[in-house]
């Protein structure tokens, strides 16, 4: 059974609909009241309407009725997944509409927005996501921290923070919701149990879920929503108004040529900086009919709707081990990214893309890059200057046979470009989060002292965003072969400026 969100924002009320329900409490304890309309010049910004309180006992009763009706429909017939989804949606509308009619006849009519929210909740209960689905369909949410069943902290786009209603009646029910999400994770087996108290997976809407219990005081979970699943380099350069301007047209053209030239690229930055968004945009430049291998711990880089464009991609996902450990100390059935990289080299492709290198898999990744073209990966690093040391740190986890000098030589031979994505959070001073590419380093190789030698092709300008600094050296001929002449950057290098469309709005300006 598949699940698709029923609505995009359950808190929005259609125009012209007025609720006759009494004032409803909101999480911060205030009540919705009628306030006289002031003069237009003094009108404060409108606040978001409070979310109607939901009676989850009613939700469970309607879910039970919906389950019974769906079971009767399924009995004695053959049907496809799409037919089941269509029938479930039809029955859900019927059941909720009947309940709303009964409430109206009792003299307490429901607003259209409340009925829509009830429909979302009943459908979510049926597929096992429960009240968690309310958060997934809210496009204003960026990140959710679930600290037990009743402590739900929401970070919204722009940096605003809210505390939401509980998503379960108890911590035990919260664990059941997370376990249900694990069972529906997709092709690879996921679980949350006494044997495996941690969970990492992709939710049906493309969000990333990480959860833990038993080893923590209460069950905890974090959801990172990816609202830019389908993104291009044009979008990142300001063509879409709903996205930050992460690159300028000069950098856009350079990165586009780098993909065409088959350069090996590492995208680095802090958590939440936008590394996944940047690598999605770079993947969008790969020709639709070119086969390549995509390796991830849990699938998030390539949404299902983009598989129609990238028809030749082979997407692999790591598999968790279960049960007793073997002689090698690994759980039975475990398949890691490091295990999949050698297999990828036998799949007849030039590009291998790894969603994120976190540990010893960086060594086979770098080894694969030395024999491939156009491969990419992401890595966590605090600063652009610290990327090379971060590579060495992870490589040393590969085993005792790895040395610092060997790791540096391997990185110098494998990588062509390092793209660093910066995040600057000004929400504490009334601003917002700024995400942008600040550095593009060309990897020259390992120097005499064993250090990784780089040239800063793009570096921070006056406002921190990347501007042309030097012309590329080692990869120049490769860029020329695909029609890109780096000498076009010469006048921008001399001016020390970039071609950003809009000035960066920072609260630190003038301080």
């Amino acid at each position: 059974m598949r699940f698709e969100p029923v609505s995009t924002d359950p808190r929005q009320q259609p125009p012209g609909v007025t609720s006759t329900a009494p004032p409803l409490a909101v999480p911060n304890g205030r009540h919705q009241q009628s306030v006289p309309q002031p003069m237009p010049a003094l009108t404060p910004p409108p606040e978001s309407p409070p979310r109607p309180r939901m009676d989850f006992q009613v939700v469970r009763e309607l879910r039970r009725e919906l389950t019974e009706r769906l079971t009767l429909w399924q009995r004695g017939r053959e049907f496809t997944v799409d037919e089941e989804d269509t029938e479930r949606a039809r029955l859900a509308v019927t059941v909720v509409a009947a309940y709303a009619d009964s409430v109206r006849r009792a003299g307490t009519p429901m607003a259209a927005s409340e009925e829509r929210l009830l429909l979302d909740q009943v459908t979510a209960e049926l597929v096992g996501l429960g009240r968690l689905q309310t958060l997934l369909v809210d496009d204003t949410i960026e990140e959710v921290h679930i600290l037990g069943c009743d402590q739900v902290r929401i970070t919204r786009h722009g940096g605003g923070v809210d505390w939401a209603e509980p998503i379960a009646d108890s911590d035990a029910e919260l664990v059941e919701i997370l376990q249900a999400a694990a069972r529906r994770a997709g092709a690879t087996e996921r679980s949350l149990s006494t044997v495996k108290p941690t969970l990492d997976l992709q939710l049906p809407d493309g969000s990333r879920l990480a959860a833990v219990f038993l080893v923590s005081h209460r069950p905890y979970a974090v959801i990172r929503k990816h609202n830019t699943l389908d993104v291009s380099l044009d979008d990142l350069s300001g063509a879409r108004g709903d996205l930050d301007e992460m690159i300028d047209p000069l950098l856009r053209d350079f990165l586009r040529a780098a993909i065409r030239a088959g350069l090996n690229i590492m995208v680095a930055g802090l958590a939440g900086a936008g590394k996944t968004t940047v690598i999605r945009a770079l993947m969008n430049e790969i020709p639709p009919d070119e086969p390549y291998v995509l390796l991830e711990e849990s699938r998030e880089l390539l949404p299902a709707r983009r598989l129609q464009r990238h028809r030749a991609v082979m997407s692999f996902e790591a598999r968790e081990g279960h049960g007793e450990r073997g002689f090698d100390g690994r759980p039975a059935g475990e398949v890691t990214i490091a295990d999949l990289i050698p297999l990828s080299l036998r799949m007849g492709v030039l590009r291998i893309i790894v969603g994120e290198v976190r540990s010893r898999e960086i060594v086979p990744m770098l080894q694969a890059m030395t024999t491939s073209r156009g491969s990419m990966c992401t890595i966590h690093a605090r600063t652009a200057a610290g990327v090379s040391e971060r590579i060495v740190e992870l490589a040393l986890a590969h085993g005792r046979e790895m040395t610092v000098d060997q790791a540096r030589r391997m990185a110098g031979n494998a990588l062509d470009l390092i793209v660093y994505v910066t995040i600057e959070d000004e929400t504490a001073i009334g601003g917002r989060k700024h995400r942008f590419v600040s550095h593009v380093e060309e990897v020259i190789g390992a120097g005499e002292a064993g250090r990784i030698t780089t040239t800063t092709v793009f570096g921070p300008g006056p406002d921190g965003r990347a501007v042309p600094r030097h012309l590329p050296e080692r990869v120049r001929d490769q860029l020329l072969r695909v029609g890109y002449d780096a000498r076009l950057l010469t006048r921008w290098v001399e001016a020390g400026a970039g071609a950003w469309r809009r000035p960066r709005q920072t609260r630190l300006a003038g301080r």
Side-chain angles (χ1 to χ4, degrees):
M1 180 190 303
R2 297 185 307 174
F3 175 71
E4 298 293 338
V6 177
S7 69
T8 57
D9 190 345
R11 301 178 305 159
Q12 292 180 351
Q13 184 163 315
V17 177
T18 304
S19 174
T20 58
L24 299 172
V26 294
N28 62 9
R30 295 179 298 173
H31 292 272
Q32 184 180 8
Q33 297 179 351
S34 175
V35 181
Q37 179 66 35
M39 295 296 292
L42 302 177
T43 302
E47 296 184 0
S48 299
R51 185 196 304 263
R53 290 191 181 275
M54 182 62 58
D55 187 342
F56 286 98
Q57 183 60 37
V58 172
V59 172
R60 295 190 189 95
E61 291 295 331
L62 295 181
R63 186 259 296 165
R64 188 176 298 111
E65 181 180 349
L66 174 56
T67 301
E68 293 173 355
R69 293 195 182 195
L70 187 61
T71 301
L72 288 175
W73 176 84
Q74 294 171 337
R75 188 172 299 164
R77 73 169 68 204
E78 295 183 358
F79 51 88
T80 66
V81 173
D82 288 338
E83 290 173 341
E84 181 185 25
D85 291 343
T86 300
E87 183 63 17
R88 184 184 68 243
R90 187 190 69 81
L91 289 175
V93 171
T94 301
V95 168
V96 171
Y99 172 78
D101 288 342
S102 67
V103 169
R104 292 187 185 99
R105 288 195 297 271
T108 54
M110 296 177 65
S113 60
E114 296 177 37
E115 185 175 342
R116 188 70 177 180
L117 178 58
L118 180 60
L119 176 61
D120 286 339
Q121 291 289 355
V122 170
T123 306
E125 283 283 334
L126 180 63
V127 299
L129 294 177
R131 296 174 232 180
L132 184 63
Q133 184 59 30
T134 305
L135 306 178
L136 300 181
V137 299
D138 188 343
D139 290 336
T140 68
I141 293 177
E142 180 179 88
E143 193 170 57
V144 181
H145 283 79
I146 302 170
L147 312 170
C149 66
D150 55 349
Q151 299 288 326
V152 183
R153 182 182 184 275
I154 292 175
T155 303
R156 299 191 183 276
H157 293 291
V161 174
D162 298 328
W163 288 89
E165 296 289 335
I167 64 169
D169 293 334
S170 65
D171 284 355
E173 183 183 342
L174 170 59
V175 172
E176 291 177 1
I177 292 174
L178 297 173
Q179 289 172 332
R183 289 192 296 270
R184 298 174 52 81
T188 57
E189 184 178 359
R190 304 276 165 170
S191 68
L192 184 67
S193 63
T194 55
V195 177
K196 187 69 171 56
T198 61
L199 179 64
D200 181 19
L201 56 84
Q202 183 185 39
L203 294 171
D205 72 327
S207 301
R208 185 76 171 268
L209 169 68
V212 61
F213 86 131
L214 295 181
V215 296
S216 55
H217 176 61
R218 300 182 69 181
Y220 302 138
V222 176
I223 299 173
R224 293 179 60 193
K225 296 193 65 178
H226 297 295
N227 294 315
T228 51
L229 294 175
D230 198 355
V231 63
S232 67
L233 290 177
D234 287 327
D235 297 332
L236 297 188
S237 64
R240 271 171 55 180
D242 60 331
L243 289 178
D244 285 338
E245 189 181 5
M246 297 184 70
I247 59 177
D248 73 345
L250 298 174
L251 185 49
R252 175 201 61 196
D253 294 342
F254 179 83
L255 293 176
R256 181 168 287 155
I259 294 295
R260 291 201 305 267
L263 303 186
N264 292 332
I265 301 174
M266 175 178 282
V267 181
L270 289 171
K275 300 184 301 297
T276 300
T277 299
V278 169
I279 204 168
R280 280 198 186 110
L282 293 173
M283 289 168 57
N284 198 53
E285 298 297 323
I286 299 175
D289 57 350
E290 178 185 335
Y292 65 93
V293 169
L294 175 60
L295 306 177
E296 299 179 90
E297 290 287 347
S298 61
R299 288 190 176 92
E300 63 173 333
L301 279 179
L302 200 62
R305 61 177 175 268
R306 282 183 61 178
L307 287 174
Q308 297 178 357
R309 168 180 167 79
H310 295 266
R311 294 181 298 173
V313 63
M314 289 173 273
S315 177
F316 296 165
E317 188 177 30
R319 178 181 175 184
E320 296 177 348
H322 298 278
E324 298 182 357
R325 295 181 179 270
F327 292 109
D328 58 357
R330 295 171 53 180
E334 181 186 48
V335 180
T336 67
I337 295 294
D339 297 326
L340 292 171
I341 289 174
L343 173 64
S344 302
L345 293 173
R346 296 193 290 270
M347 302 304 292
V349 299
L350 291 178
R351 301 181 197 263
I352 299 175
I353 299 174
V354 175
E356 182 181 341
V357 289
R358 304 178 184 178
S359 184
R360 61 187 182 90
E361 67 269 9
I362 194 171
V363 171
M365 179 71 210
L366 293 175
Q367 290 173 336
M369 281 184 166
T370 60
T371 58
S372 64
R373 295 178 63 251
S375 294
M376 292 185 283
C377 66
T378 68
I379 189 173
H380 281 80
R382 185 177 179 183
T383 64
V387 174
S388 60
E389 293 307 307
R390 177 63 174 160
I391 292 172
V392 172
E393 177 187 340
L394 295 183
L396 292 178
H398 182 71
R400 294 181 179 179
E401 69 278 6
M402 180 59 61
T403 66
V404 172
D405 288 343
Q406 185 179 358
R408 288 172 175 162
R409 287 196 304 270
M410 187 179 298
N413 292 329
L415 295 172
D416 294 314
L417 297 176
I418 297 174
V419 178
Y420 191 81
V421 189
T422 292
I423 178 171
E424 293 186 354
D425 189 351
E426 297 182 356
T427 55
I429 56 174
R432 64 182 187 89
K433 294 180 180 179
H434 301 271
R435 297 176 174 89
F436 50 86
V437 173
S438 58
H439 298 74
V440 176
E441 302 283 340
E442 178 193 20
V443 179
I444 304 300
E448 295 181 359
R451 298 282 181 179
I452 300 175
T453 306
T454 62
T455 296
T456 303
V457 181
F458 289 80
D463 61 2
R465 298 184 295 185
V467 300
R469 288 291 185 85
H470 300 90
L471 300 183
E473 303 172 23
R474 185 170 67 86
V475 301
R476 184 187 61 180
D477 289 346
Q478 293 168 264
L479 295 172
L480 285 171
R481 291 190 186 100
V482 295
Y484 180 80
D485 190 349
R487 290 175 297 183
L488 297 172
L489 299 175
T490 301
R491 70 182 181 91
W492 299 94
V493 171
E494 294 173 350
W500 294 87
R501 299 175 189 271
R502 297 182 293 272
R504 183 178 156 215
Q505 301 297 325
T506 172
R507 289 295 181 115
L508 299 181
R511 293 194 180 187

